Amino acid sequence: MNTIFGALGRVVVRFRYLVVLAWIVAIVVSSHALPSLGSQVNNDNSQFLPSSAPSSQAANLLAPILGSSGTESEVTVVADRPAGPLTAADQAAVAREVRAVARVPLVIGARELGTSPDGRATTLVVKLRVNGADIATQKTVLGQIAATFTRVAAPPGLELHLAGAIATNGANQKSSNSTGSKTQSLSLLLIIVLLLLIFRSLLAPLVTLLPAAFALLVSTRFIGGLGADGLKISEITELLLIVLILGAGTDYGLFLVFRVREELRHGLGTHDAVVHALVRVGESISASAGTVIFALLSLLLATFGIYKDLGIPLALGIAVMLVAGLTLLPALLAIFGKAVFWPSKVDRTPTKVGAWSAIATRLVARPGLTLATGVVIFGALAAAALGYHSGGFGGSLNAPAGSDAAAGNAALTRYFPGASANPANIALVYAQPIWQDPSVVVAAQRSLARSGQLEQISGPLDPNGHALAPETYARLHALLGSPTRLAPIDPDPGRIPVAAYNAYRSTSQFVAPDGKTIQFEANLRAGGQQSTAAMDATPAIRAVVARAAAASGAIHGGLAGEAASLYDVSSTSNHDLTHIVPVAILAIAILLALVLRSGVAPLYLIVSVALSYLAALGVSTIAFIDIGGNKGITFILPFLMFLFLLALGEDYNILVMTRIREEAHDLPLHEAVVRAVARTGPTVTSAGLVLTGTFGVLAVAGGSGSSGSQIRDIGFGLAIGILMDTFLVRTLIVPSVVALLGRWNWWPAKLGRRAEPVDAATEVPAPAGLDA
């Protein structure tokens, strides 16, 4: 490996200017040829479910009414006059709006559903020839629909708003772009400030950070292109990519820059120092990135789409970052040389014993006590994780305050009491059209109402707040035909009461054209669709639907909607957690064994990750549930926390352990531990602070966005985990285990069979010549 990295270093140093130019060209070309990542973000977690999930199957049953999410999507437009009933001029404007919307590209058709019981509002349903997960195209069409509002010459006092799930998701996607930009800007600012404090030089922070920034610019465009080709991208993916590349990328930069400075202090010239540093830490950087990539690629085994689709974008980002760290950063260091560290001096000078050397000396003197103390502390924190329970599955289910979608959803709820911008959808399928025997609808609705679990039930006989008797529905169907073809105003007034006409016209949103599939919309007494209580009530509601299907003679039944989808998210996520974690552990253990040339070290390194993971989860539980009073922590936290701590924690393990192995070739193991911890302590500490800070920015900046509580939980949990990993696990507990195991650390490699040149029980004084 040394030969490979040595050759790479010499090539990069020789062609340093061409390397920098190649990266600049890559940024320019990708920025012009590929779409932005933010334009592909989808905030609806339920859209990442597999087709086998019960809620997905129920949604398929409703396709004759709501359309197929694979090829179509549906937007609601609310027209309302808050000051009083709609006027004739208002109705004429609504008719113009229907015609205007129908001319928008990708709109299949638009129709007015019906007027509210108080006569102050009406709704239009607009069907789009757009995949339900194609957020970028939906956003474009939503903008074009909203633009028609100003072209129909609506009378003063008439308001037009977008509403429903698609409009809400579009509004949240816009909010996500703002959150992503804020997270990126604050992360960059924080990293620059930390690097200024770490290096106490002006140029070193920029040189260290620039490769990460270049990698972020290139990878976001590549991933945006994948999103345009069908890869689903969540807001969590976007924000984690920013934090991961900037944080981990800066860490890899610190690994190399610290080693270059060390080599310069040993008297090497600039170019030789860069090549020698790349030889020494190139394998560590590559292995560190490899652990992250392996952990992320294990997500491809997931059945939950938000996990599965997280793996490729983040793994691609880390791969691009690795290439930048091994090419662009050495090229920049070779170009600027010692000026990188100005005004600090890097000339050959006598070195002194630093704080980490003193810590390491005490550590190897009593490694058993250090290890026992660490295990007790981590065990106590891990015990708090027993109080963990999940919540916050829904992502962004409410439109951002002040958005047009928020106003439309509020109007929908206000004027149509039985309606909801985000209801539970109950699907029932019968062998014959319901207008031949409407009593089955009565039986189904009575069964649903008797359960006591549902409220504000709307259906074929109560579509807009005005109830229709079964015989009235059958008579109206015989008289008027399909409700989808009815005019907004009865052309033959007097034959049917206006309220009955409007109610029948509204049944098109509850009855399929063939009359065999119907839906009921309802609110859950347990709480709103986005609540943990509603999600937990899903098994009971599914039992209610099954009883209603049996009572009314339905041949199929199902429950769709956000709460049902998110319950399936919970089940799918838990399934993935138990199946993917062992695969990720095995893959990283094999990589560690290859890098460290040891069959023993990977075992306790993996155990140390598990211990710090449980401790971090315990701290998060205390912070958010015990102190914060939350009902649960976002479902994705345990999964992501384990994978990221496993992968990122091993970054520091690899750096420390490879340095111990390097020193152990020439020194007794205890002395090698002291020297290695002294040399890597500043690097690990600095890298850990940078990564902790970027995850902290994610918690603060991302937590204020449309998926606030989810992002906050993830950012805080990962920041705490990285912080404990940095200051306790990698620099204290792991070296203690190394000191206790002695040469068995390297078994079965040759180094593990070599006898110790000094007595392992002897306390070793701090060696001279260690960096501060």
Side-chain angles (χ1 to χ4, degrees), residues 719-734:
I720 290 296
I722 294 295
L723 196 63
M724 290 191 296
D725 234 36
T726 300
F727 287 96
L728 298 176
V729 177
R730 307 305 152 215
T731 50
L732 298 178
I733 293 180
V734 169

Side-chain angles (χ1 to χ4, degrees), residues 435 468 472-507:
W435 49 72
L468 295 173
T472 301
Y473 175 81
R475 181 173 61 85
L476 289 173
H477 181 270
L479 179 64
L480 301 174
S482 173
T484 61
R485 293 195 290 267
L486 295 180
I489 300 176
D490 188 356
D492 188 7
R495 58 176 177 166
I496 300 170
V498 173
Y501 181 87
N502 287 332
Y504 179 71
R505 200 160 61 86
S506 298
T507 62

Side-chain angles (χ1 to χ4, degrees), residues 261-333:
R261 187 176 68 176
E262 181 181 333
E263 300 299 338
L264 289 173
R265 287 176 173 174
H266 288 165
L268 291 180
T270 296
H271 293 175
D272 289 339
V274 172
V275 173
H276 195 262
L278 194 60
V279 169
R280 292 300 186 183
V281 300
E283 184 180 7
S284 298
I285 293 173
S286 300
S288 297
T291 60
V292 180
I293 291 172
F294 275 134
L296 292 170
L297 290 181
S298 69
L299 294 174
L300 295 177
L301 302 175
T303 52
F304 180 34
I306 203 170
Y307 292 157
K308 188 172 185 177
D309 294 333
L310 194 69
I312 291 178
L314 297 187
L316 177 60
I318 291 297
V320 174
M321 182 61 246
L322 174 61
V323 175
L326 296 178
T327 58
L328 180 59
L329 181 56
L332 293 173
L333 290 169

